[in-house]
Amino acid sequence: MSTASLDARNRASLLSYLVPAVVAAVMIAPAAYAGTDATFGTALTQFSNFLSGSGGKVITVLSLAGGIVGLASGRFSLGQVAVPVGTGVAAGTGVPIVTAMVTATI
């Protein structure tokens, strides 16, 4: 028996299992509507408050400390300055930007 016939048989066997599973998933799955689910609302609020508050400041300070340690060790690179600045900007303004991007207004 050739390898080509084995591959064709394996594909046919895979399709015989895959097609009914996909059809069943489509038939059973409920409709999803953007903005109507609040399952993770509390977690999102907590995480957003953490990043835009003291948590973001702590992350920025730790990133800055890592950059200073790198500078003190004698290996200067622009990344050691840019990473803490980028971290601070991302922690301070990233959360409102991402929230505004994913908020749908219809």
Side-chain angles (χ1 to χ4, degrees):
M1 203 175 266
S2 70
T3 307
S5 65
L6 285 176
D7 289 339
R9 194 169 7 161
N10 286 339
R11 277 189 229 133
S13 176
L14 178 65
L15 283 177
S16 69
Y17 290 111
L18 190 62
V19 169
V22 170
V23 169
V26 169
M27 298 295 283
I28 294 172
Y33 299 103
T36 61
D37 185 32
T39 304
F40 297 105
T42 305
L44 175 65
T45 303
Q46 289 290 96
F47 193 66
S48 298
N49 290 342
F50 173 77
L51 281 180
S52 59
S54 60
K57 292 176 185 172
V58 168
I59 292 169
T60 303
V61 168
L62 289 175
S63 179
L64 182 61
I68 290 173
V69 168
L71 289 173
S73 69
R75 52 182 177 103
F76 178 78
S77 73
L78 185 60
Q80 292 168 343
V81 176
V83 168
V85 170
T87 303
V89 169
T93 61
V95 173
I97 290 171
V98 171
T99 304
M101 284 178 16
V102 298
T103 303
T105 325
I106 299 175

XYZ file of all heavy atoms in Angstrom:
718
model
N 0.847 -1.168 0.000
C 0.000 0.000 0.000
C 0.894 1.233 0.000
O 1.887 1.296 0.705
C -0.873 -0.024 1.242
C -2.107 0.787 1.095
S -3.186 0.615 2.517
C -4.242 -0.678 1.967
N 0.541 2.242 -0.757
C 1.392 3.422 -0.875
C 1.088 4.422 0.235
O 0.036 4.395 0.872
C 1.191 4.079 -2.243
O -0.078 4.669 -2.282
N 2.030 5.337 0.425
C 1.874 6.373 1.442
C 0.749 7.326 1.092
O 0.034 7.808 1.964
C 3.202 7.155 1.587
O 4.251 6.233 1.810
C 3.135 8.113 2.731
N 0.554 7.578 -0.194
C -0.508 8.498 -0.628
C -1.881 7.965 -0.255
O -2.761 8.725 0.155
C -0.410 8.735 -2.126
N -2.088 6.663 -0.379
C -3.394 6.110 -0.035
C -3.621 6.127 1.469
O -4.742 6.287 1.929
C -3.545 4.697 -0.589
O -2.619 3.831 0.025
N -2.552 5.965 2.277
C -2.679 6.059 3.724
C -3.041 7.477 4.138
O -3.877 7.688 5.019
C -1.384 5.625 4.407
C -1.096 4.130 4.428
C 0.256 3.869 5.050
C -2.178 3.403 5.195
N -2.415 8.487 3.522
C -2.727 9.866 3.848
C -4.173 10.200 3.504
O -4.862 10.875 4.254
C -1.778 10.826 3.121
C -0.364 10.778 3.692
O -0.226 10.332 4.848
O 0.563 11.195 2.988
N -4.633 9.736 2.361
C -6.012 9.996 1.952
C -6.987 9.324 2.912
O -8.021 9.893 3.267
C -6.234 9.505 0.530
N -6.655 8.115 3.354
C -7.530 7.409 4.279
C -7.543 8.102 5.647
O -8.598 8.211 6.277
C -7.071 5.959 4.431
C -8.114 5.123 5.093
C -7.869 3.648 5.067
N -6.570 3.251 4.545
C -6.022 2.082 4.765
N -6.661 1.190 5.500
N -4.854 1.768 4.269
N -6.388 8.585 6.085
C -6.324 9.300 7.357
C -7.134 10.592 7.295
O -7.811 10.953 8.249
C -4.875 9.611 7.730
C -4.139 8.371 8.188
O -4.756 7.392 8.593
N -2.821 8.421 8.125
N -7.038 11.315 6.179
C -7.818 12.544 6.028
C -9.313 12.250 6.020
O -10.098 12.968 6.637
C -7.422 13.260 4.732
C -6.197 14.094 4.905
C -5.954 14.951 3.685
N -4.559 14.762 3.331
C -4.076 14.526 2.150
N -4.877 14.477 1.117
N -2.795 14.351 1.951
N -9.715 11.209 5.333
C -11.127 10.844 5.291
C -11.622 10.440 6.674
O -12.735 10.796 7.075
C -11.346 9.719 4.293
N -10.790 9.726 7.426
C -11.158 9.323 8.776
C -11.281 10.546 9.683
O -12.207 10.637 10.486
C -10.107 8.362 9.328
O -10.394 8.046 10.658
N -10.346 11.481 9.543
C -10.394 12.704 10.340
C -11.643 13.513 10.017
O -12.328 13.998 10.918
C -9.134 13.542 10.079
C -9.063 14.874 10.810
C -8.983 14.653 12.311
C -7.879 15.674 10.328
N -11.967 13.639 8.748
C -13.161 14.386 8.353
C -14.434 13.720 8.852
O -15.398 14.402 9.192
C -13.206 14.553 6.837
C -12.284 15.617 6.262
C -12.370 15.631 4.745
C -12.611 16.980 6.820
N -14.436 12.395 8.908
C -15.639 11.700 9.371
C -15.904 11.991 10.852
O -17.045 11.889 11.298
C -15.522 10.196 9.130
O -14.543 9.639 9.978
N -14.896 12.325 11.608
C -15.085 12.706 13.004
C -15.254 14.212 13.163
O -15.992 14.675 14.024
C -13.886 12.262 13.848
C -13.801 10.776 14.035
C -12.791 10.048 13.437
C -14.734 10.106 14.812
C -12.706 8.677 13.600
C -14.666 8.736 14.992
C -13.638 8.029 14.377
O -13.568 6.679 14.551
N -14.549 14.981 12.364
C -14.523 16.429 12.513
C -15.823 17.094 12.059
O -16.336 17.974 12.743
C -13.336 17.007 11.713
C -13.023 18.470 11.937
C -12.642 18.702 13.381
C -11.900 18.908 11.025
N -16.379 16.676 10.949
C -17.587 17.315 10.413
C -18.765 17.204 11.383
O -19.406 18.210 11.691
C -17.917 16.760 9.011
C -19.289 17.216 8.562
C -16.857 17.178 8.018
N -19.084 16.031 11.931
C -20.195 15.976 12.891
C -19.935 16.800 14.159
O -20.854 17.403 14.701
C -20.321 14.489 13.232
C -19.671 13.779 12.108
C -18.602 14.678 11.601
N -18.688 16.846 14.587
C -18.373 17.630 15.785
C -18.586 19.117 15.536
O -19.137 19.830 16.387
C -16.928 17.371 16.215
N -18.175 19.612 14.381
C -18.359 21.026 14.043
C -19.838 21.350 13.894
O -20.316 22.375 14.384
C -17.559 21.393 12.768
C -17.932 22.774 12.267
C -16.074 21.301 13.028
N -20.574 20.484 13.238
C -22.014 20.706 13.061
C -22.709 20.729 14.422
O -23.550 21.603 14.685
C -22.617 19.626 12.134
C -24.137 19.677 12.152
C -22.089 19.797 10.719
N -22.359 19.820 15.303
C -22.963 19.785 16.641
C -22.616 21.046 17.426
O -23.473 21.611 18.116
C -22.491 18.540 17.394
N -21.380 21.499 17.332
C -20.969 22.708 18.049
C -21.727 23.927 17.547
O -22.137 24.786 18.330
C -19.470 22.913 17.896
N -21.931 24.015 16.253
C -22.663 25.154 15.679
C -24.127 25.112 16.093
O -24.728 26.146 16.385
C -22.511 25.172 14.139
C -23.468 26.156 13.503
C -21.081 25.496 13.759
N -24.701 23.942 16.133
C -26.114 23.819 16.475
C -26.365 24.094 17.962
O -27.408 24.644 18.320
C -26.623 22.414 16.123
C -26.539 22.075 14.647
S -27.591 23.091 13.636
C -29.153 22.345 13.971
N -25.425 23.727 18.816
C -25.612 23.842 20.260
C -25.187 25.211 20.790
O -25.744 25.693 21.762
C -24.836 22.721 20.979
C -25.449 21.373 20.613
C -24.840 22.911 22.474
C -24.657 20.185 21.107
N -24.221 25.847 20.159
C -23.654 27.093 20.664
C -24.691 28.210 20.697
O -25.395 28.432 19.727
C -22.481 27.512 19.792
N -24.785 28.915 21.833
C -25.726 30.039 21.896
C -25.161 31.257 21.157
O -23.958 31.356 20.929
C -25.833 30.317 23.394
C -24.523 29.872 23.938
C -24.108 28.693 23.091
N -26.025 32.158 20.820
C -25.594 33.385 20.143
C -24.855 34.272 21.132
O -25.215 34.360 22.299
C -26.801 34.114 19.583
N -23.810 34.926 20.650
C -23.031 35.839 21.485
C -23.280 37.260 21.014
O -23.185 37.559 19.830
C -21.551 35.497 21.386
N -23.605 38.125 21.935
C -23.850 39.522 21.613
C -22.840 40.376 22.362
O -22.675 40.239 23.573
C -25.267 39.924 22.016
C -26.316 39.117 21.300
C -26.978 38.085 21.937
C -26.620 39.381 19.974
C -27.935 37.338 21.272
C -27.568 38.628 19.296
C -28.221 37.619 19.959
O -29.149 36.878 19.283
N -22.172 41.245 21.654
C -21.148 42.092 22.261
C -21.794 43.079 23.217
O -22.782 43.718 22.910
C -20.379 42.840 21.176
N -21.209 43.188 24.390
C -21.656 44.186 25.338
C -22.773 43.755 26.262
O -23.132 44.498 27.155
N -23.352 42.586 26.077
C -24.456 42.178 26.939
C -24.007 41.309 28.101
O -24.784 41.068 29.008
C -25.515 41.399 26.138
O -24.903 40.227 25.588
C -26.096 42.247 25.024
N -22.779 40.852 28.078
C -22.297 39.956 29.119
C -21.437 40.725 30.106
O -20.567 41.486 29.713
C -21.487 38.817 28.496
C -21.076 37.795 29.522
O -21.826 37.595 30.492
O -20.004 37.195 29.355
N -21.673 40.542 31.390
C -20.892 41.217 32.424
C -20.217 40.202 33.341
O -19.984 40.478 34.509
C -21.787 42.147 33.226
N -19.881 39.041 32.802
C -19.291 37.987 33.610
C -17.988 38.428 34.255
O -17.746 38.188 35.431
C -19.037 36.737 32.749
O -20.256 36.341 32.152
C -18.482 35.606 33.580
N -17.134 39.086 33.478
C -15.826 39.479 33.982
C -15.765 40.974 34.293
O -14.684 41.546 34.368
C -14.747 39.116 32.960
C -14.659 37.637 32.714
C -15.160 37.085 31.554
C -14.092 36.804 33.653
C -15.092 35.728 31.325
C -14.024 35.440 33.444
C -14.520 34.905 32.274
N -16.894 41.607 34.489
C -16.931 43.044 34.757
C -16.189 43.426 36.024
O -15.433 44.403 36.050
N -16.386 42.663 37.092
C -15.718 42.960 38.355
C -14.213 42.790 38.235
O -13.443 43.639 38.696
C -16.252 42.034 39.466
O -17.671 42.170 39.512
C -15.665 42.390 40.805
N -13.783 41.711 37.576
C -12.344 41.483 37.397
C -11.725 42.567 36.519
O -10.618 43.040 36.793
C -12.104 40.106 36.787
N -12.435 42.974 35.476
C -11.931 44.034 34.610
C -11.780 45.334 35.371
O -10.766 46.033 35.236
C -12.863 44.222 33.411
C -12.510 45.379 32.478
C -11.175 45.126 31.800
C -13.595 45.596 31.453
N -12.753 45.665 36.195
C -12.682 46.884 36.983
C -11.515 46.841 37.958
O -10.758 47.803 38.070
C -14.005 47.101 37.751
O -15.072 47.145 36.809
C -13.966 48.374 38.559
N -11.349 45.712 38.644
C -10.250 45.579 39.606
C -8.896 45.700 38.917
O -7.998 46.393 39.388
C -10.336 44.239 40.337
C -11.467 44.141 41.321
C -11.228 45.011 42.533
O -11.713 46.131 42.593
N -10.470 44.510 43.470
N -8.740 45.008 37.792
C -7.463 45.015 37.088
C -7.175 46.388 36.499
O -6.041 46.866 36.546
C -7.461 43.943 35.996
C -6.105 43.660 35.441
C -5.113 43.095 36.226
C -5.805 43.966 34.129
C -3.862 42.845 35.719
C -4.563 43.719 33.604
C -3.578 43.151 34.400
N -8.194 47.039 35.952
C -8.014 48.388 35.403
C -7.619 49.372 36.490
O -6.729 50.202 36.298
C -9.296 48.861 34.724
O -9.621 48.033 33.653
N -8.285 49.284 37.635
C -7.938 50.163 38.756
C -6.524 49.892 39.251
O -5.791 50.814 39.620
C -8.935 49.987 39.895
C -10.287 50.538 39.565
O -10.454 51.337 38.648
N -11.304 50.090 40.293
N -6.128 48.624 39.269
C -4.784 48.260 39.710
C -3.726 48.859 38.788
O -2.758 49.462 39.238
C -4.646 46.739 39.763
C -3.245 46.258 40.048
C -2.736 46.315 41.324
C -2.454 45.755 39.033
C -1.447 45.882 41.594
C -1.171 45.322 39.280
C -0.665 45.383 40.571
N -3.914 48.695 37.479
C -2.907 49.182 36.535
C -2.849 50.702 36.457
O -1.775 51.278 36.327
C -3.161 48.616 35.143
C -2.700 47.190 34.922
C -3.001 46.754 33.502
C -1.221 47.045 35.199
N -3.990 51.361 36.518
C -3.970 52.812 36.405
C -3.716 53.480 37.745
O -3.534 54.694 37.803
C -5.281 53.323 35.803
O -6.370 52.931 36.600
N -3.651 52.718 38.809
C -3.389 53.271 40.143
C -2.006 52.908 40.636
O -1.003 53.007 39.927
N -1.960 52.456 41.871
C -0.675 52.175 42.518
C 0.053 50.994 41.876
O 1.283 50.965 41.849
C -0.895 51.902 44.003
O -1.745 50.778 44.170
N -0.667 50.037 41.344
C -0.018 48.881 40.708
C 0.803 49.284 39.504
O 1.921 48.807 39.301
N 0.265 50.173 38.687
C 1.004 50.664 37.532
C 2.244 51.436 37.932
O 3.295 51.345 37.280
N 2.128 52.195 39.017
C 3.290 52.942 39.505
C 4.374 51.997 40.013
O 5.560 52.204 39.765
C 2.868 53.910 40.601
C 2.004 55.039 40.087
C 1.518 55.924 41.212
C 0.551 56.953 40.649
N -0.106 57.715 41.701
N 3.970 50.943 40.712
C 4.940 49.968 41.214
C 5.637 49.261 40.054
O 6.862 49.087 40.061
C 4.246 48.946 42.153
C 5.146 47.765 42.448
C 3.814 49.622 43.433
N 4.877 48.869 39.048
C 5.467 48.207 37.883
C 6.450 49.140 37.185
O 7.543 48.725 36.786
C 4.353 47.739 36.914
C 3.551 46.609 37.546
C 4.925 47.304 35.585
C 2.285 46.248 36.796
N 6.098 50.415 37.061
C 6.983 51.385 36.418
C 8.255 51.584 37.223
O 9.360 51.627 36.660
C 6.248 52.730 36.241
O 5.061 52.506 35.493
C 7.111 53.737 35.535
N 8.134 51.696 38.542
C 9.319 51.889 39.393
C 10.225 50.667 39.334
O 11.457 50.798 39.262
C 8.894 52.210 40.844
C 10.057 52.123 41.799
C 8.262 53.586 40.906
N 9.636 49.462 39.333
C 10.455 48.253 39.229
C 11.167 48.183 37.885
O 12.335 47.775 37.807
C 9.597 47.007 39.441
C 9.091 46.774 40.861
C 8.159 45.572 40.909
C 10.243 46.602 41.820
N 10.488 48.589 36.829
C 11.112 48.616 35.516
C 12.240 49.635 35.480
O 13.313 49.384 34.915
C 10.056 48.936 34.457
O 10.633 49.001 33.193
N 12.027 50.796 36.073
C 13.068 51.823 36.148
C 14.260 51.334 36.969
O 15.414 51.553 36.589
C 12.491 53.101 36.749
C 13.430 54.287 36.851
C 13.913 54.699 35.470
C 12.750 55.451 37.548
N 13.988 50.630 38.068
C 15.079 50.085 38.890
C 15.891 49.070 38.091
O 17.124 49.040 38.187
C 14.508 49.438 40.146
N 15.234 48.248 37.306
C 15.963 47.300 36.460
C 16.837 48.007 35.447
O 17.953 47.574 35.157
N 16.324 49.095 34.875
C 17.126 49.874 33.931
C 18.327 50.516 34.599
O 19.421 50.549 34.026
N 18.157 51.007 35.814
C 19.270 51.630 36.544
C 20.325 50.593 36.893
O 21.525 50.852 36.789
C 18.741 52.358 37.795
C 17.949 53.589 37.361
C 19.873 52.744 38.720
C 17.232 54.288 38.492
N 19.892 49.412 37.291
C 20.848 48.329 37.587
C 21.628 47.976 36.324
O 22.843 47.761 36.360
C 20.116 47.092 38.166
C 21.017 45.874 38.192
C 19.589 47.401 39.551
N 20.946 47.926 35.192
C 21.624 47.650 33.927
C 22.628 48.735 33.578
O 23.723 48.453 33.084
N 22.264 49.998 33.819
C 23.195 51.103 33.559
C 24.394 51.038 34.495
O 25.532 51.294 34.085
C 22.480 52.451 33.722
C 21.463 52.814 32.657
C 20.731 54.094 33.044
C 22.152 53.007 31.318
N 24.149 50.699 35.763
C 25.237 50.627 36.737
C 26.199 49.482 36.436
O 27.373 49.541 36.799
C 24.667 50.464 38.141
N 25.699 48.450 35.761
C 26.570 47.325 35.452
C 27.466 47.612 34.248
O 28.300 46.784 33.894
C 25.747 46.064 35.213
O 25.008 46.184 34.020
N 27.294 48.751 33.630
C 28.194 49.153 32.559
C 27.733 48.807 31.164
O 28.437 49.066 30.199
N 26.575 48.255 31.006
C 26.103 47.922 29.664
C 24.977 48.866 29.279
O 23.814 48.577 29.450
C 25.666 46.466 29.577
C 24.691 46.050 30.635
C 24.335 44.572 30.516
N 23.454 44.242 31.618
C 22.164 44.096 31.498
N 21.581 44.233 30.339
N 21.422 43.805 32.540
N 25.329 50.006 28.763
C 24.342 51.014 28.406
C 23.699 50.697 27.063
O 24.382 50.371 26.092
C 24.977 52.403 28.339
C 24.007 53.467 27.930
C 23.104 53.959 28.854
C 23.961 53.948 26.635
C 22.188 54.926 28.488
C 23.045 54.906 26.264
C 22.162 55.404 27.194
N 22.405 50.802 27.033
C 21.672 50.716 25.767
C 20.427 51.580 25.889
O 19.966 51.883 26.988
C 21.300 49.271 25.432
O 20.270 48.831 26.278
N 19.909 51.975 24.755
C 18.734 52.829 24.745
C 17.520 52.107 25.328
O 16.634 52.734 25.908
C 18.446 53.281 23.311
C 17.320 54.281 23.131
C 17.625 55.556 23.908
C 17.126 54.605 21.666
N 17.482 50.797 25.230
C 16.371 50.014 25.761
C 16.216 50.132 27.263
O 15.118 50.029 27.796
N 17.334 50.375 27.970
C 17.265 50.504 29.418
C 16.585 51.801 29.841
O 16.127 51.926 30.967
C 18.666 50.419 30.019
C 19.255 49.049 29.863
C 20.737 49.025 30.178
O 21.386 50.059 30.216
N 21.257 47.844 30.395
N 16.511 52.746 28.951
C 15.789 53.983 29.225
C 14.390 53.917 28.625
O 13.420 54.345 29.239
C 16.573 55.192 28.649
C 15.794 56.469 28.831
C 17.945 55.283 29.281
N 14.279 53.347 27.437
C 13.004 53.329 26.726
C 11.990 52.368 27.355
O 10.794 52.661 27.356
C 13.226 52.948 25.260
N 12.444 51.245 27.881
C 11.515 50.267 28.462
C 10.794 50.833 29.685
O 9.569 50.728 29.773
C 12.235 48.932 28.769
C 11.370 48.017 29.623
C 12.629 48.247 27.476
N 11.489 51.455 30.660
C 10.749 52.046 31.785
C 9.799 53.167 31.359
O 8.685 53.281 31.883
C 11.834 52.589 32.704
C 13.040 51.806 32.377
C 12.930 51.494 30.917
N 10.206 53.974 30.391
C 9.328 55.038 29.914
C 8.096 54.432 29.238
O 6.957 54.847 29.486
C 10.081 55.985 28.952
C 9.129 56.931 28.260
C 11.151 56.749 29.700
N 8.306 53.436 28.391
C 7.188 52.769 27.729
C 6.272 52.072 28.717
O 5.051 52.072 28.549
N 6.852 51.480 29.752
C 6.045 50.816 30.778
C 5.177 51.826 31.512
O 4.003 51.571 31.769
C 6.957 50.078 31.772
O 7.769 49.150 31.063
C 6.156 49.351 32.822
N 5.753 52.967 31.855
C 4.986 54.007 32.537
C 3.861 54.543 31.676
O 2.730 54.734 32.144
N 4.143 54.781 30.407
C 3.109 55.278 29.491
C 2.019 54.223 29.307
O 0.826 54.539 29.327
C 3.733 55.674 28.133
C 2.663 55.930 27.093
C 4.619 56.897 28.297
N 2.419 52.970 29.158
C 1.434 51.899 28.971
C 0.563 51.716 30.205
O -0.646 51.514 30.093
C 2.137 50.593 28.623
N 1.174 51.795 31.387
C 0.396 51.620 32.616
C -0.529 52.804 32.855
O -1.655 52.633 33.326
C 1.328 51.437 33.811
N -0.068 54.003 32.514
C -0.883 55.188 32.775
C -1.971 55.425 31.759
O -3.097 55.774 32.101
N -1.653 55.258 30.493
C -2.636 55.588 29.458
C -3.114 54.375 28.672
O -4.057 54.495 27.904
C -2.033 56.599 28.462
O -0.897 56.012 27.837
C -1.652 57.876 29.145
N -2.492 53.243 28.850
C -2.865 52.056 28.085
C -4.247 51.531 28.404
O -4.996 51.133 27.515
N -4.609 51.530 29.684
C -5.910 50.992 30.090
C -7.060 51.798 29.485
O -7.970 51.216 28.890
C -6.010 50.917 31.632
C -7.405 50.514 32.060
C -4.986 49.947 32.180
N -7.056 53.143 29.577
C -8.152 53.884 28.944
C -8.190 53.724 27.419
O -9.271 53.672 26.826
C -7.883 55.334 29.310
C -6.991 55.299 30.486
C -6.219 54.023 30.361
N -7.023 53.617 26.784
C -6.986 53.455 25.345
C -7.588 52.114 24.936
O -8.429 52.036 24.036
C -5.540 53.600 24.802
C -5.085 55.042 24.936
C -5.449 53.139 23.354
C -3.609 55.255 24.642
N -7.167 51.053 25.607
C -7.695 49.717 25.279
C -9.184 49.644 25.592
O -9.964 49.094 24.819
C -6.902 48.625 26.028
C -7.562 47.277 25.891
C -5.482 48.576 25.535
N -9.598 50.215 26.712
C -11.021 50.202 27.068
C -11.843 50.954 26.032
O -12.932 50.512 25.647
C -11.220 50.824 28.455
O -10.408 50.115 29.394
C -12.663 50.742 28.899
N -11.340 52.079 25.544
C -12.057 52.844 24.535
C -12.114 52.075 23.212
O -13.100 52.178 22.481
C -11.394 54.188 24.320
N -11.063 51.305 22.903
C -11.045 50.556 21.661
C -12.050 49.413 21.649
O -12.647 49.107 20.630
C -9.647 49.993 21.381
C -8.681 51.028 20.883
S -6.988 50.471 20.579
C -7.035 48.736 20.523
N -12.231 48.752 22.790
C -13.105 47.585 22.818
C -14.526 47.905 23.228
O -15.380 47.038 23.230
C -12.547 46.479 23.753
C -11.215 45.993 23.244
C -12.451 46.945 25.176
N -14.806 49.149 23.575
C -16.158 49.521 23.924
C -16.943 49.805 22.663
O -16.607 50.694 21.903
C -16.165 50.774 24.831
O -15.381 50.510 25.979
C -17.566 51.143 25.243
N -17.961 49.045 22.444
C -18.756 49.193 21.226
C -19.911 50.158 21.478
O -20.600 50.074 22.481
C -19.298 47.849 20.784
N -20.093 51.084 20.570
C -21.235 52.001 20.644
C -22.037 51.837 19.365
O -21.575 52.208 18.289
C -20.758 53.456 20.765
O -19.575 53.522 21.531
C -21.803 54.300 21.416
N -23.200 51.271 19.501
C -24.023 51.023 18.314
C -25.293 51.844 18.412
O -25.948 51.909 19.393
C -24.358 49.521 18.160
C -23.069 48.756 18.011
C -25.268 49.289 16.990
C -23.226 47.258 17.972
